[in-house]
Amino acid sequence: MLQPVAVGSKTLADYTHICGRDLIEEIRALAEPLKGARVLHLSATAFGGGVAEILYTLVPLMKDVGLEVEWQVIYGREEFFNATKLMHNALQGAPDDLTEAQWDTWQRYNEMNSRELVGGWDVALVHDPQPAAVFQLVPEKAKGWIWRCHIDVSTPNPATIQRLLPYIKDYPQSVFHVPDYVPEGMGGTVNIVPPAIDPLAPKNMALSPDDASYVCQQFGIDVDRPLITQVSRFDPWKDPLGVIDAYRIVKEELPEVQLALVGSMASDDPEGWDFFNATIAHAGGDPDIHILNNFNNVGAIEVNAFQSHSDVLVQKSTREGFGLTVTEAIWKGRPFIGGNVGGIPLQIENGISGYLVDSVDSCAARALDILKDPALGKALGRRGKEHVRKNFLTPRYLRDYLKIFSELQSSNSR
Ligand code: UDP
């Protein structure tokens, strides 16, 4: 019933020229005593959103260094994903908690998946709250357990976190992006490890300016006019409506500006389509607003092309766990403006490697600054890219996980 995900293969050595020999050697040394360890990644979806994005790179690299890794996706129907989406929103601070029936649904699907889960793992890495109860239900199925939280739980709905806490607090190891996200009452060892992107994946590999504009042109962009882009799921926290409002302010001063909202629909996000339609309605038929999603053939290369070609990249979130789209954007060396929330300030130093904004007006003002001064944009972009190279590429992330696996291994043998 749990679906294994096929991830293809990647080779750590290919990253040496980008990340440096020292890091690659450190990884190999850490991996040596872990060779042959059986590692399970358990998540809610193999498509859409940051978790899937990360696992398509991390899993092949873990295999490449000698671990036996599988990624499995839990079984769930609409009623389950409706409940978990609500839980996700409540954990990020939305006022509605799950109803008693929805908590039951969450518990029931976790029980079902726990029963079906095959045991014998050295490490089970459980991603996010959807499958979080598995550890409590079947602790015997893995020797070591890690709960990986990808969302911002700094100001959760109190009722929701209290109800979830008994299921997550006893994981021997947990991993959060930043210290602020760790809920009170976590037992076990808490690790702070931000995620990372794969510089060699089609979404992030170097595209020539010609190739990038050639792709954008095919989606109706006039490549000779300025373009502002936001890439993200259609989700209220990502604030695409605010991006449209900011674009309108920019357009008053620069009528030639265009906007692209590029968004993927995730299979575990039933709200996505409603909000997609709301975004289209907000655009009001403006021919210079291009709203695209993965059902219009916008895949990884196209996201890369939009990020590489745009004059300004925006992630105007009002909540953001980490924001892989931010990392991806600045890796392209383009000027970036992001909401001053969640994981975004971790990636952007305001005024140095991009801009952090708190409102539609300041987003528009910063976009105008950049559009009017290309040299400014270039300088911001260059510094941003260096910051990503040092801190947010997958080999560093792999190293941090291997350290946690080693700790689990040594605590098991004590
Ligand atoms: N994404 C994509 N196509 C889109 C929109 C988003 O491939 O049209 C990807 C995006 O490039 C990023 C991930 O989905 O890798 C979103 O991760 P992020 O951490 O930004 O946000 P989340 O969706 O997990 O809240």
Side-chain angles (χ1 to χ4, degrees):
M1 205 159 67
L2 284 95
Q3 290 296 315
V5 183
V7 289
S9 70
K10 291 185 190 279
T11 310
L12 183 66
D14 293 346
Y15 295 76
T16 316
H17 70 290
I18 304 176
C19 301
R21 189 164 300 280
D22 289 355
L23 178 59
I24 304 298
E25 278 169 10
E26 186 187 355
I27 292 171
R28 295 216 186 280
L30 278 165
E32 192 51 43
L34 295 165
K35 282 235 155 82
R38 295 195 64 219
V39 176
L40 169 72
H41 286 270
L42 198 61
S43 82
T45 176
F47 186 79
V51 180
E53 190 70 30
I54 288 165
L55 293 183
Y56 279 110
T57 298
L58 192 61
V59 172
L61 285 179
M62 282 184 175
K63 285 183 175 180
D64 185 60
V65 298
L67 280 63
E68 282 190 33
V69 192
E70 270 187 52
W71 170 15
Q72 295 181 10
V73 168
I74 53 167
Y75 168 77
R77 290 222 264 208
E78 200 181 342
E79 52 173 347
F80 174 68
F81 290 122
N82 283 334
T84 57
K85 187 68 208 276
L86 227 138
M87 188 190 296
H88 174 107
N89 287 343
L91 290 171
Q92 298 214 113
D96 291 336
D97 186 20
L98 286 74
T99 62
E100 212 41 55
Q102 284 168 322
W103 277 111
D104 279 353
T105 303
W106 178 74
Q107 170 90 23
R108 202 157 30 81
Y109 277 87
N110 267 272
E111 283 167 2
M112 227 180 317
N113 282 294
S114 297
R115 263 196 309 277
E116 296 295 322
L117 181 69
V118 174
W121 304 100
D122 292 301
V123 179
L125 232 159
V126 179
H127 294 269
D128 272 348
Q130 296 95 330
V134 170
F135 165 57
Q136 246 232 356
L137 293 166
V138 284
E140 71 284 0
K141 291 199 175 174
K143 286 191 204 138
W145 288 85
I146 304 174
W147 187 57
R148 199 334 165 192
C149 179
H150 294 265
I151 57 179
D152 174 352
V153 207
S154 50
T155 50
N157 179 321
T160 316
I161 190 67
Q162 280 318 315
R163 187 81 183 242
L164 183 66
L165 201 58
Y167 297 98
I168 54 174
K169 71 177 180 25
D170 295 328
Y171 273 82
Q173 299 271 345
S174 58
V175 185
F176 295 82
H177 297 330
V178 291
D180 265 6
Y181 292 4
V182 184
E184 243 172 79
M186 284 302 290
T189 305
V190 173
N191 302 272
I192 303 301
V193 180
I197 60 163
D198 179 358
L200 300 181
K203 183 174 287 175
N204 298 311
M205 67 191 196
L207 273 192
S208 73
D210 281 352
D211 287 341
S213 60
Y214 183 67
V215 172
C216 292
Q217 201 162 19
Q218 293 176 47
F219 286 89
I221 304 298
D222 178 345
V223 294
D224 297 320
R225 286 160 53 203
L227 177 66
I228 301 176
T229 297
Q230 171 159 303
V231 175
S232 67
R233 285 184 296 108
F234 287 97
D235 178 310
W237 307 105
K238 310 281 185 187
D239 199 20
L241 306 188
V243 177
I244 292 178
D245 294 340
Y247 148 86
R248 289 207 168 109
I249 298 174
V250 173
K251 203 168 181 68
E252 279 172 27
E253 219 169 299
L254 274 183
E256 65 272 29
V257 75
Q258 308 163 88
L259 173 67
L261 294 172
V262 178
S264 76
M265 316 308 280
S267 59
D268 64 343
D269 182 2
E271 270 180 358
W273 284 106
D274 292 344
F275 201 67
F276 176 72
N277 291 329
T279 308
I280 291 193
H282 199 70
D286 181 339
D288 281 341
I289 302 182
H290 301 264
I291 302 180
L292 304 165
N293 69 46
N294 49 308
F295 290 88
N296 314 130
N297 254 349
V298 181
I301 289 280
E302 287 78 8
V303 167
N304 187 342
F306 271 91
Q307 290 171 332
S308 302
H309 173 78
S310 294
D311 301 277
V312 180
L313 290 162
V314 177
Q315 185 61 58
K316 214 205 135 310
S317 304
T318 52
R319 274 292 166 127
E320 191 59 75
F322 179 71
L324 286 174
T325 52
V326 179
T327 335
E328 292 161 0
I330 43 189
W331 180 243
K332 310 300 183 315
R334 308 304 301 157
F336 176 87
I337 302 172
N340 191 10
V341 294
I344 301 182
L346 200 66
Q347 305 188 57
I348 292 291
E349 210 180 328
N350 192 24
I352 307 282
S353 52
Y355 289 119
L356 297 171
V357 296
D358 293 301
S359 68
V360 166
D361 286 339
S362 56
C363 182
R366 291 314 195 176
L368 277 165
D369 289 346
I370 293 169
L371 289 170
K372 288 180 184 163
D373 182 359
L376 166 70
K378 256 199 184 144
L380 295 171
R382 204 172 37 240
R383 292 186 217 116
K385 180 160 185 158
E386 223 19 64
H387 186 57
V388 173
R389 187 196 303 281
K390 287 204 195 97
N391 298 290
F392 301 119
L393 299 181
T394 312
R396 187 276 302 154
Y397 197 32
L398 171 65
R399 178 204 57 198
D400 293 349
Y401 269 120
L402 293 178
K403 282 187 180 165
I404 299 173
F405 293 176
S406 310
E407 254 183 56
L408 275 174
Q409 199 182 43
S410 53
S411 62
N412 285 338
S413 58
R414 276 202 288 270

